[in-house]
Amino acid sequence: MEKRAIITLVVGLASAAPHAPAAELPGRIAAIEHHTAACFAPGTPVNCEVSAVVESNEKLLLANDKRLPAPGGPALFTLDIEQGKISGEPTVLPGKALREADKYEALTKTLDGRYMIASTAFNKASTDEDPSSDILNTLLYWPVDDPEAAKPLSPTSRSGVTSSISLRKQIKDAIGASYYQIEAITMAPSEPVKAKTADGQLIIGIRRHGNDKTDAHFGFTLISAHVKFKDGTLALVEAFKSVQNFNVQAQGHTVGLSGIEYDRFNKDRLYAVTSYEEKSVDAANKPITNIGGFLWIVPFAAGKPGTPQLVTREDGSTLRFSNKPEGVEVLDAHQIIVVHDDDRVEVQTSEAGIERGANEFAYSKIRFP
């Protein structure tokens, strides 16, 4: 019998906002299916590494961790979806701004569904002398039917590239660390005191943060800022602030946040996925990598997230993925989809996950009661 998960939640920032009260949410799923879908044709010399997902008009927009093998194409593409099943041929999104940004890690849409929002990793700073990493520090938005109109939030132009590099300092101040890695974003309703002056709040999820890349720890860290649209331009109405900073363990694994999304149907929760990647050696002293992850429900009330709650299977055992979850999207009031990036690790098909080809990504269709 599977052991129940052990979850350690440690608040790491004294300035974190008070958490919303725990809500009665469906902690158990009703069913889960694992499938695969193709990023591009077999034999292409690029590995499919899907990092984020968002739905719009019966299509999924997905981000690939690396640029796609399309001439001049960005790492964003769409696939058809019907009743939680992905189909069709991938269509790469056009647009100069989308092509310039690199290492997309998070996708969401505005609460009214009119705009898409994408974030890169922000995991490398750049300088006036060497602004080449500006492309890794971009948060873009565009009308759902016009990706060529994409533009950065809080734009700064250097060396012919316009990015959101100006956001780095306030994100750093909100987190309290000079190095950080963005892996998740979602739009969510405003706190009541901001409801009249904002069009919602942009919540950003941080997977790792610390002094530098070699001295960073995994966590479940959220920051947020209220935003406002005016004449088609998105702007912050306040600086980013800390919302949560947890260290999370599940089944003995220290995990990092890899995706989050507000449930616009039930309006009382966020869904989040966390993942781990652990290196070791086998009996023959050969290096091996163990991957996996978990699904969480986060209560959401009065514009504030509460304490993450681990999701279980119908029998009460922990819902664990053997694939590596990277993004989550809410399809309706009872169904979500989780996309995975296995980082070239071979996963065997089982009740916990599914084997995939180099040109494919794995995804899990999950139904709640």
Side-chain angles (χ1 to χ4, degrees):
M1 180 178 293
E2 182 180 356
K3 294 181 180 179
R4 297 302 298 270
I6 299 174
I7 309 167
T8 302
L9 297 173
V10 181
V11 178
L13 288 178
S15 59
H19 301 141
E24 289 295 328
L25 299 176
R28 297 189 182 191
I29 66 169
I32 183 170
E33 299 175 9
H34 304 295
H35 303 279
T36 62
C39 288
F40 34 75
T44 306
V46 176
N47 196 54
C48 184
E49 299 179 54
V50 165
S51 57
V53 61
V54 64
E55 184 274 339
S56 180
N57 299 326
E58 297 183 348
K59 287 186 178 293
L60 287 184
L61 172 63
L62 299 117
N64 203 60
D65 192 50
K66 306 291 189 297
R67 295 188 185 276
L68 291 172
L76 298 172
F77 63 98
T78 62
L79 285 167
D80 297 330
I81 184 167
E82 184 177 358
Q83 296 182 345
K85 192 75 179 292
I86 299 174
S87 62
E89 296 294 322
T91 300
V92 177
L93 261 61
K96 180 177 183 293
L98 298 183
R99 287 195 303 270
E100 287 181 343
D102 195 19
K103 198 166 176 55
Y104 289 100
E105 292 288 354
L107 293 168
T108 191
K109 60 188 174 187
T110 53
L111 293 173
D112 60 12
R114 295 173 57 199
Y115 287 82
M116 293 292 194
I117 304 175
S119 179
T120 60
F122 280 76
N123 63 336
K124 187 176 181 181
S126 52
T127 64
D128 290 337
E129 293 75 23
D130 181 14
S132 59
S133 294
D134 285 7
I135 59 175
L136 304 174
N137 295 268
T138 306
L139 203 157
L140 292 156
Y141 62 96
W142 65 94
V144 294
D145 58 351
D146 191 8
E148 294 189 82
K151 49 189 175 182
L153 176 68
S154 302
T156 298
S157 295
R158 300 195 300 188
S159 300
V161 175
T162 303
S163 72
S164 305
I165 191 69
S166 60
L167 292 177
R168 278 201 66 89
K169 184 180 185 304
Q170 64 167 283
I171 294 175
K172 168 188 171 182
D173 291 345
I175 298 169
S178 54
Y179 172 83
Y180 52 88
Q181 182 178 339
I182 292 176
E183 286 268 346
I185 57 171
T186 187
M187 284 294 298
S190 300
E191 298 173 25
V193 294
K194 298 283 188 178
K196 293 183 179 179
T197 58
D199 293 323
Q201 60 177 312
L202 181 63
I203 299 176
I204 292 181
I206 310 298
R207 177 174 178 78
R208 291 202 306 155
H209 67 274
N211 294 323
D212 54 45
K213 185 176 181 178
T214 60
D215 181 27
H217 63 271
F218 290 96
F220 195 119
T221 300
L222 302 179
I223 63 173
S224 78
H226 286 83
V227 297
K228 182 73 176 178
F229 272 97
K230 185 176 181 181
D231 299 326
T233 297
L234 181 65
L236 301 178
V237 298
E238 62 184 0
F240 281 101
K241 64 181 180 180
S242 173
V243 178
Q244 286 184 349
N245 187 11
F246 292 135
N247 294 327
V248 182
Q249 289 188 336
Q251 290 193 310
H253 302 284
T254 297
V255 296
L257 182 64
S258 53
I260 196 164
E261 187 61 34
Y262 171 68
D263 185 340
R264 66 192 64 229
F265 298 96
N266 292 296
K267 304 183 187 333
D268 60 355
R269 72 197 73 164
L270 306 165
Y271 288 100
V273 285
T274 59
S275 63
Y276 59 89
E277 183 175 347
E278 301 165 344
K279 298 184 183 301
S280 60
V281 293
D282 62 14
N285 208 35
K286 180 182 178 181
I288 58 174
T289 301
N290 181 34
I291 61 172
F294 303 90
L295 176 66
W296 309 74
I297 286 184
V298 184
F300 188 84
K304 295 179 180 179
T307 301
Q309 303 172 15
L310 193 63
V311 173
T312 65
R313 291 180 174 273
E314 191 175 14
D315 63 2
S317 63
T318 304
L319 175 59
R320 185 187 68 84
F321 302 105
S322 58
N323 297 102
K324 185 166 172 270
E326 283 286 322
V328 57
E329 173 64 314
V330 185
L331 301 178
D332 56 42
H334 299 283
Q335 189 173 214
I336 67 172
I337 189 170
V338 173
V339 297
H340 306 277
D341 172 14
D342 295 342
D343 288 332
R344 304 173 190 260
V345 176
E346 293 185 7
V347 174
Q348 301 300 313
T349 298
S350 70
E351 68 169 10
I354 190 169
E355 182 181 4
R356 58 104 193 183
N359 70 310
E360 298 176 321
F361 65 95
Y363 69 95
S364 303
K365 184 177 73 170
I366 299 168
R367 183 169 56 84
F368 285 85

